[in-house]
Amino acid sequence: MIDDLSLRWKIPLRVMAAVLGTALAVTVAMIARERDELRQSLTSHAMSLGRVMANTLVAPVLHDDLWRAFEILQSGREPHPTAPELQASVMLVVDRDSRVYVSSRPREFPVGFDLRQSKGAYALLPKQMEGIGAREQRVFEPEHSPLFFVTSPLIADGVPLGHVVLGYSQDAFRPRFVNLVLNTAVVTLLVLLLILPVSWYAARKTGEPLLALAEAMSQVPGQLESARLADLPQNRDEIGQLGDAFRRMVGELRKKELLEDQMLVSERLAAVGRMSAGIAHEINNPLGGMLTAIKTYQRHGAGDPLANQTLSLLERGLTQIRNTVAALLVETKPQDRSFAPADIDDLLILVEAEAHARSVTVAREGVLERPLPLPATLLRQILLNLLLNAIAAADEGGRVRLGLKLDPGMLRMTVCNDGKHIPDEQLAYLFEPFYSGREKGHGLGLWVVYQIVQQLGGGLSVDSEPGCTTFRVEIPYVET
Amino acid sequence: MADIDDSHDSFTRRRWMLAAGALAAAAPIRPLRAAVQRERVFIGLTPVFLDDQVSFLERWRDWFEKRLERPVSFVQRGNYREIVDLVRQGKLDFAWLCGYPFVRYRRELRLVAAPLWRGRPYYQAYVIVTGDDRDSRSLFDLRGKVFAYSDPDSNSGYLYPQYLLVQAGENPGAFFSRSFYTWGHRKVVEAVSVGLAAGGAVDGYIWEVLNDNGSELTRGTRVISRSPLLGHPPFVARGDISQAEFDRFRRALMGMASDSEGATLLGSLRLDGFTDAQPALYDGIARMVSRVARP
């Protein structure tokens, strides 16, 4: 479940977890250290108090002044208001036989009480005070006991008289410890209050580029264009590299999509061409026969005026069919003269009247310096159709530009106009026969251009943006 | 400080030293042997009353100085014996002692006056036990337990329980498992109250005063035995005191109740005044002494 969470939350949450974990670890370490120090200071305090009491108690014990010994114990139990854990919870003076000489809590440890008869941790004390313990101070911490002890020997002139036992409660330590934990916790919380928002912000910042990338990816392949324009990170880290790769991928996808569109258009145009050729062939055969028959009749059988009138009508109709079919099926004439610079001048003169009528300026860029080994009639047909289309499409008083560029083995021609641009959805059908963007015209001009370019092994493309529609024609040629 | 010799012939020179004593008065703390110079009056105090109230003692000393028209020093020691010895040696002029040492040394001491408590010059010795001991009815129920005495020279804090045991045919030295001295009545109450001792012997007057003052200590104890009425601890004078000094001091004590300052001081002590006392007042104690001394 947490695995499916968005990075928008996952990264900040993980950073928060890391920060909290660190804070907790540091706090626990600090508390553990403080606890050790508290314990250390308590132990050293207890040992020095034990030494002082042992020295002070030698005389009363030697003189058997029980009350004096008791008063000394009482003075050792003075409360420490700031450090209550320093107050011994029990103090015992015991003789060499582990019997209580006097204690700070006489009801529990009356005079003469034998420690060996006691229960719990106290019963273990006599053993601690034997051997080394008979002459040296010892700290004794019985297992599973809420108490720990410091035993200090009472020694007079090198002779051990007994011991002073100071017993401390581990519980007394607790309020101070709880206080310590609370203080540390408050400090940690304050630090966290400062660090957490900063970490959260930084973590969100880290996740943002990935989120942007994911958002952009979700648009592939549906909306390639908006995916391409997405605001992706530009830096050189891994996410930046990912963004670059993504941009490249989207670019390739877009190219492929365009290519597929073009291929679709080309295939359709090819199919239309094959069909047109077939139809034209099937029509042309009987049509030729019919026109020959009419001509024969007019030459030999003339006389009946009604028949003449009818046949003349048939002949005009059949001629129109033949022209239309001829337009559908452009056929290259194998023999033609070369395309010469003068042809360009002719073309400009030819379209001048039409341009003048619409107040359109026709400009020429580039010149052809020599004749090219390309069929002049067909090239004239291409340029004438494109120029007339451009003049018709240009705005009233607009401009049309004819560009010529000669590369080795390739003639490039462009015809631009500044009229209304052609919508994308129309571009795909632009070169099909009988497709016309205008009210006038039969819709065969571009189809003818397409067929000629195809037959010459060239390429044809159109770009249309508002204010500039450009037709490009590329025709390969071979130098003789 | 011309003469620091405290040998016996210094007594004969006492009168000659009056002028020198005036010098000694200037020093706030004087060596005891200066007492022989006779100008300053030295009064020994013992824990027969609550002698640990320093501010009270200062007021009382001022009162004495006004009445006696002399500088006065109070002398306190850790036990009765030291005070008794100092009086016997003539180093103290007067002392407030227990009846027991007075009886023992009555030939060396002069009885000045006895306090009046609840209108009479008597008090009682108490035997107390810890408050949580509900069973003990008498001293004899404390056999084998820990017992707190006040002072070996105290009547109420030592002699009376000894007497009881001897009377009953017990050996006082073996009756308790353990006994100790606290060197003060208040501390006996304390020792019993905290449970250090199962029982203790205490001056009944002190116990009652503590109790009247609302002390926590007496609340932790219970009185199981009261002695017959015995002579209240008296003021005594050293045996060779001059009659004039003796009389002046005695007049001061006897007149204490009738002057307002003195009455206030007596109020602090919970006493009604001081009265003329005859040695016969302490015959009861004397009988116990003789019984204990020859069991």
Side-chain angles (χ1 to χ4, degrees):
Chain A
M1 179 162 147
I2 190 114
D3 288 340
D4 297 336
L5 203 60
S6 160
L7 282 182
R8 188 189 305 281
W9 302 108
K10 209 188 276 178
I11 295 177
L13 286 178
R14 283 190 177 156
V15 170
M16 292 299 102
V19 168
L20 287 174
T22 309
L24 197 68
V26 169
T27 307
V28 167
M30 273 169 65
I31 288 173
R33 211 186 112 233
E34 287 287 329
R35 188 183 182 282
D36 281 353
E37 278 181 11
L38 258 180
R39 187 54 192 276
Q40 199 90 45
S41 83
L42 177 57
T43 307
S44 68
H45 179 272
M47 289 184 78
S48 73
L49 180 66
R51 271 192 299 276
V52 169
M53 296 207 74
N55 289 336
T56 319
L57 281 162
V58 165
V61 169
L62 264 183
H63 302 156
D64 195 15
D65 191 344
L66 194 143
W67 177 254
R68 180 82 197 113
F70 179 73
E71 283 184 324
I72 290 169
L73 288 193
Q74 291 298 95
S75 71
R77 289 195 74 216
E78 294 277 301
H80 299 257
T82 53
E85 74 277 4
L86 292 182
Q87 189 181 354
S89 73
V90 67
M91 294 177 157
L92 307 170
V93 178
V94 295
D95 63 17
R96 273 176 294 195
D97 302 326
S98 297
R99 285 179 186 278
V100 172
Y101 179 77
V102 67
S103 79
S104 63
R105 275 155 46 180
R107 282 178 210 281
E108 289 156 75
F109 303 99
V111 174
F113 178 74
D114 189 344
L115 275 189
R116 278 168 296 216
Q117 308 297 315
S118 65
K119 287 174 190 154
Y122 293 95
L124 302 171
L125 278 170
K127 209 165 193 93
Q128 291 296 314
M129 298 183 289
E130 290 168 5
I132 307 170
R135 293 193 164 270
E136 281 174 21
Q137 262 196 320
R138 294 188 82 167
V139 178
F140 171 48
E141 200 166 343
E143 281 176 41
H144 314 300
S145 169
L147 290 165
F148 78 95
F149 300 97
V150 173
T151 63
S152 315
L154 287 174
I155 296 178
D157 196 21
V159 179
L161 301 175
H163 282 85
V164 180
V165 179
L166 306 182
Y168 289 85
S169 164
Q170 312 261 30
D171 289 347
F173 195 54
R174 195 165 291 150
R176 180 88 173 260
F177 185 65
V178 166
N179 201 22
L180 177 82
V181 170
L182 282 180
N183 281 346
T184 316
V186 165
V187 169
T188 307
L189 278 180
L190 284 177
V191 171
L192 280 180
L193 273 182
L194 284 175
I195 288 181
L196 279 184
V198 174
S199 313
W200 181 270
Y201 177 75
R204 286 294 289 258
K205 245 352 215 183
T206 309
E208 261 169 22
L210 275 175
L211 294 175
L213 198 59
E215 171 73 22
M217 278 179 167
S218 72
Q219 296 173 327
V220 173
Q223 299 154 281
L224 276 184
E225 190 58 18
S226 66
R228 193 171 65 86
L229 296 173
D231 180 23
L232 293 181
Q234 301 288 340
N235 42 18
R236 297 307 312 153
D237 65 6
E238 284 73 8
I239 296 177
Q241 291 172 21
L242 212 56
D244 280 350
F246 176 73
R247 266 193 296 271
R248 278 200 302 278
M249 182 189 82
V250 170
E252 295 296 328
L253 279 176
R254 179 110 178 107
K255 254 193 238 168
K256 180 168 163 272
E257 201 179 62
L258 285 175
L259 211 63
E260 278 171 0
D261 286 353
Q262 280 173 14
M263 278 182 57
L264 215 61
V265 171
S266 303
E267 276 170 17
R268 202 164 56 222
L269 287 174
V272 170
R274 279 192 302 276
M275 196 175 74
S276 307
I279 292 169
H281 186 73
E282 291 305 316
I283 291 173
N284 269 345
N285 282 342
L287 202 61
M290 281 191 272
L291 283 169
T292 307
I294 288 168
K295 279 218 165 69
T296 307
Y297 176 79
Q298 282 174 334
R299 197 173 302 149
H300 302 287
D304 185 354
L306 184 62
N308 279 342
Q309 197 183 346
T310 307
L311 283 175
S312 173
L313 188 73
L314 275 174
E315 187 185 20
R316 282 200 300 279
L318 290 171
T319 304
Q320 191 184 346
I321 290 174
R322 189 176 62 184
N323 289 343
T324 304
V325 170
L328 259 178
L329 187 67
V330 177
E331 279 189 65
T332 325
K333 292 190 184 83
Q335 295 300 316
D336 202 349
R337 62 181 178 83
S338 294
F339 184 58
D343 285 314
I344 307 287
D345 303 332
D346 287 354
L347 281 167
L348 291 175
I349 292 164
L350 277 172
V351 300
E352 199 179 65
E354 188 69 26
H356 189 72
R358 302 205 64 230
S359 322
V360 171
T361 319
V362 179
R364 176 166 63 167
E365 285 173 8
V367 286
L368 204 61
E369 285 167 350
R370 58 187 171 89
L372 290 176
L374 286 168
T377 317
L378 293 179
L379 284 184
R380 283 173 69 118
Q381 184 73 61
I382 289 170
L383 286 177
L384 187 64
N385 284 6
L386 290 178
L387 282 169
L388 288 174
N389 271 355
I391 290 163
D395 291 334
E396 192 84 12
R399 287 170 60 87
V400 167
R401 209 173 66 238
L402 169 64
L404 289 167
K405 191 161 181 275
L406 195 60
D407 286 332
M410 185 69 78
L411 171 64
R412 297 178 202 278
M413 298 179 291
T414 54
V415 177
C416 317
N417 73 75
D418 58 359
K420 273 200 298 180
H421 92 290
I422 305 161
D424 281 355
E425 60 269 20
Q426 289 184 16
L427 279 176
Y429 307 102
L430 203 59
F431 295 97
E432 290 178 12
F434 308 112
Y435 183 88
S436 177
R438 299 194 303 272
E439 286 160 19
K440 285 198 280 176
H442 46 57
L444 285 171
L446 286 176
W447 168 244
V448 167
V449 170
Y450 167 74
Q451 287 192 93
I452 295 170
V453 171
Q454 285 293 105
Q455 287 174 23
L456 294 178
L460 176 61
S461 69
V462 59
D463 281 340
S464 187
E465 287 165 28
C468 182
T469 300
T470 307
F471 285 83
R472 285 175 223 282
V473 179
E474 296 173 341
I475 312 282
Y477 65 92
V478 182
E479 299 279 359
T480 51
Chain B
M1 309 273 192
D3 188 0
I4 48 169
D5 179 8
D6 66 349
S7 63
H8 277 288
D9 59 352
S10 69
F11 286 108
T12 60
R13 286 193 276 152
R14 222 173 268 142
R15 298 290 162 210
W16 302 98
M17 296 302 164
L18 280 175
L23 284 172
I29 298 167
R30 294 148 204 94
L32 276 179
R33 53 183 71 176
V36 296
Q37 294 165 4
R38 286 305 91 203
E39 169 67 8
R40 176 169 289 272
V41 177
F42 290 91
I43 302 173
L45 299 178
T46 58
V48 294
F49 71 107
L50 296 173
D51 63 340
D52 50 0
Q53 305 165 50
V54 177
S55 69
F56 166 79
L57 290 182
E58 283 187 2
R59 280 186 287 131
W60 201 14
R61 193 195 62 207
D62 291 347
W63 181 87
F64 266 123
E65 287 187 339
K66 247 184 270 173
R67 289 288 162 277
L68 302 178
E69 296 172 340
R70 290 183 182 210
V72 169
S73 287
F74 283 144
V75 176
Q76 291 171 283
R77 285 295 179 265
N79 54 48
Y80 286 34
R81 167 136 341 214
E82 285 187 54
I83 295 293
V84 172
D85 287 348
L86 288 170
V87 183
R88 287 169 64 207
Q89 290 162 16
K91 292 177 183 172
L92 296 177
D93 302 304
F94 303 98
W96 195 356
L97 280 185
C98 183
Y100 177 30
F102 169 70
V103 166
R104 278 169 72 178
Y105 304 109
R106 65 168 50 162
R107 277 189 295 276
E108 299 172 46
L109 304 169
R110 292 182 66 184
L111 185 58
V112 181
L116 284 171
W117 182 47
R118 294 179 175 171
R120 297 192 292 175
Y122 297 113
Y123 81 134
Q124 286 169 296
Y126 286 179
V127 174
I128 55 173
V129 292
T130 54
D132 45 13
D133 175 0
R134 295 266 145 244
D135 305 326
S136 302
R137 291 277 166 267
S138 77
L139 179 66
F140 303 103
D141 293 327
L142 298 177
R143 181 190 301 275
K145 296 191 175 170
V146 179
F147 195 81
Y149 292 114
S150 160
D151 190 298
D153 292 309
S154 166
N155 166 47
S156 55
Y158 181 74
L159 180 65
Y160 173 64
Q162 293 275 315
Y163 169 77
L164 284 183
L165 292 173
V166 170
Q167 277 293 89
E170 297 285 352
N171 172 10
F175 184 76
F176 302 114
S177 68
R178 183 85 166 78
S179 67
F180 60 92
Y181 299 107
T182 67
W183 312 105
H185 291 289
R186 176 206 279 274
K187 290 174 178 178
V188 170
V189 181
E190 192 181 338
V192 175
S193 168
V194 300
L196 184 62
V202 68
D203 183 325
Y205 154 71
I206 300 274
W207 193 92
E208 295 291 348
V209 169
L210 283 173
N211 200 35
D212 287 352
N213 290 346
S215 165
E216 290 285 332
L217 295 178
T218 50
R219 230 174 289 166
T221 62
R222 186 166 64 88
V223 179
I224 55 166
S225 168
R226 290 178 168 86
S227 73
L229 292 177
L230 298 166
H232 205 289
F235 264 98
V236 298
R238 59 183 159 85
D240 55 353
I241 191 106
S242 78
Q243 193 59 40
E245 276 181 86
F246 182 86
D247 289 342
R248 182 164 43 226
F249 189 76
R250 192 167 171 206
R251 265 200 308 281
L253 279 182
M254 308 287 263
M256 197 169 170
S258 53
D259 95 67
S260 69
E261 269 180 76
T264 310
L265 292 166
L266 283 170
S268 297
L269 293 169
R270 308 263 166 169
L271 292 176
D272 303 314
F274 285 90
T275 185
D276 201 2
Q278 296 307 313
L281 181 61
Y282 302 96
D283 283 350
I285 296 174
R287 274 195 296 279
M288 290 198 291
V289 174
S290 57
R291 182 75 184 92
V292 170
R294 289 190 296 275

